[in-house]
Amino acid sequence: MAIPKKGQLGIFMIVSVVILLLVGWALYQMSLKTTENIKKELPSQMVLGETVAVQQFVTACLEQTTTDALINFGLVGGKTGYFKDFLTYDSSYKVPYYFKTNTFDDSASIVPGSVFAPPKADVESILMSYIDAHLKECTDSFKNVKGLRVEEGSPKSTVQVNEKDVSVKLNYTLVITQVDKKTNLDEFTLKILSRLNTMLLISHNITSFAKEQEDIVYWEYLTDVTRMCEPVGNPRAPAADWCFNITAHAERQNTIIYRIVDPQSLVFNEPYFFQFAAQVRVK
């Protein structure tokens, strides 16, 4: 891979970050509020009296929980304990470090920085852990089921981050009893259009460049990211929405926050964004 042109971090660090920080916080709060509103509209508030309604309800909960998992991974690393080091804004809003320098001055003894960007298999495990831990918050023990008795097992999901989607297979044994008739439901599937796979590749490239030279922002590569344009799902979408957007802004502790936005990967009708922190060495 050709090495992109280099831009000096010292110039970059003078950019004001107050507005960007407020925007990031506002987006985070908006996402949480949207999630709560959607939950209130789920069929858990309805009377479920048929097996097919139970199946539709679980599928709706799976979609809701998977969407929550994607939002939380993109915003704060997933809330599953995978990441150990964050740039912290408050107790609920912490951006995980994908790269950290081990040298904080321009001394001769430079120790190479550490990369924490997760491989795709680990991201799939993060999403699985979130789904398995939170699905029952949505199904809520099927308390609103009328005329049926539902016995449930423990949910176990399998997640695949594919080129243009995130697919989920959920093993979740339900025994539904209606009078003297029993019905078993075991497997539920879901596919959400998403270019998370490409976002992960972008994050790995950025952290690889950071390790090569820790005091440089590779602006040319960031520009290349905005030229990654391909229709996903809806070929009639405006051409401007085919492309990624990416921002990089300076924060405290010699940290850069990278934020990748995909107008085509929609969550609750809003573009999906994925962010991570990189701590760099300042000359």
Side-chain angles (χ1 to χ4, degrees):
M1 178 183 293
I3 300 297
K5 292 179 182 177
K6 303 170 183 178
Q8 287 299 327
L9 182 62
I11 296 174
F12 171 73
M13 294 295 284
I14 68 174
V15 176
S16 171
V17 301
V18 175
I19 294 176
L20 288 169
L21 174 57
L22 292 174
V23 169
W25 175 246
L27 286 169
Y28 177 66
Q29 292 297 323
M30 182 181 68
S31 298
L32 294 182
K33 188 174 187 300
T34 305
T35 300
E36 281 191 10
N37 290 337
I38 294 294
K39 283 181 177 177
K40 292 176 182 176
E41 297 172 6
L42 282 172
S44 60
Q45 307 303 320
M46 301 167 57
V47 174
L48 304 177
E50 299 179 5
T51 299
V52 67
V54 174
Q55 186 170 22
Q56 291 171 350
F57 170 51
V58 173
T59 301
C61 280
L62 178 59
E63 182 174 7
Q64 168 64 52
T65 309
T66 302
T67 302
D68 285 351
L70 288 168
I71 289 174
N72 277 282
F73 175 73
L75 284 166
V76 293
K79 293 184 179 178
T80 61
Y82 178 89
F83 294 99
K84 306 302 181 187
D85 212 345
F86 299 84
L87 182 70
T88 300
Y89 296 99
D90 65 26
S91 59
S92 62
Y93 187 31
K94 301 184 289 185
V95 181
Y97 276 104
Y98 278 33
F99 178 84
K100 291 199 77 173
T101 186
N102 289 316
T103 306
F104 294 92
D105 55 37
D106 204 22
S107 62
S109 57
I110 295 176
V111 180
S114 301
V115 174
F116 304 105
K120 185 170 74 170
D122 286 5
V123 174
E124 291 169 340
S125 294
I126 291 169
L127 297 174
M128 283 187 283
S129 295
Y130 188 97
I131 293 168
D132 294 347
H134 295 278
L135 181 77
K136 285 189 174 183
E137 294 173 10
C138 180
T139 56
D140 197 24
S141 302
F142 299 90
K143 291 177 182 176
N144 291 315
V145 171
K146 306 297 181 184
L148 301 174
R149 182 164 57 90
V150 181
E151 300 170 72
E152 59 181 329
S154 298
K156 180 62 179 175
S157 62
T158 302
V159 174
Q160 284 189 313
V161 177
N162 303 313
E163 185 177 354
K164 295 183 180 180
D165 66 67
V166 173
S167 63
V168 185
K169 178 181 177 181
L170 177 70
N171 290 315
Y172 185 29
T173 300
L174 304 176
V175 180
I176 304 167
T177 304
Q178 186 173 25
V179 190
D180 57 352
K181 179 184 177 182
K182 285 191 175 183
T183 303
N184 286 11
L185 296 177
D186 297 293
E187 189 175 296
F188 305 84
T189 58
L190 176 70
K191 184 177 291 185
I192 295 178
L193 291 177
S194 172
R195 290 194 289 181
L196 177 60
N197 184 63
T198 304
M199 292 178 165
L200 295 174
L201 291 174
I202 293 168
S203 72
H204 279 263
N205 287 337
I206 290 172
T207 53
S208 293
F209 296 147
K211 191 167 185 178
E212 287 176 13
Q213 193 158 351
E214 298 180 21
D215 59 345
I216 295 297
V217 175
Y218 288 86
W219 292 108
E220 186 172 302
Y221 179 69
L222 302 191
T223 301
D224 289 343
V225 169
T226 66
R227 296 178 182 140
M228 295 180 179
C229 306
E230 182 184 10
V232 177
N234 180 13
R236 296 183 179 180
D241 289 348
W242 295 0
C243 309
F244 289 104
N245 299 316
I246 185 167
T247 60
H249 68 270
E251 262 291 0
R252 65 189 188 276
Q253 300 174 12
N254 298 351
T255 296
I256 299 172
I257 299 294
Y258 291 95
R259 181 175 293 134
I260 310 166
V261 181
D262 182 10
Q264 291 193 85
S265 302
L266 299 179
V267 287
F268 305 140
N269 297 316
E270 297 291 338
Y272 180 71
F273 73 89
F274 162 60
Q275 63 184 5
F276 59 94
Q279 186 184 60
V280 296
R281 180 168 54 89
V282 179
K283 287 186 177 180

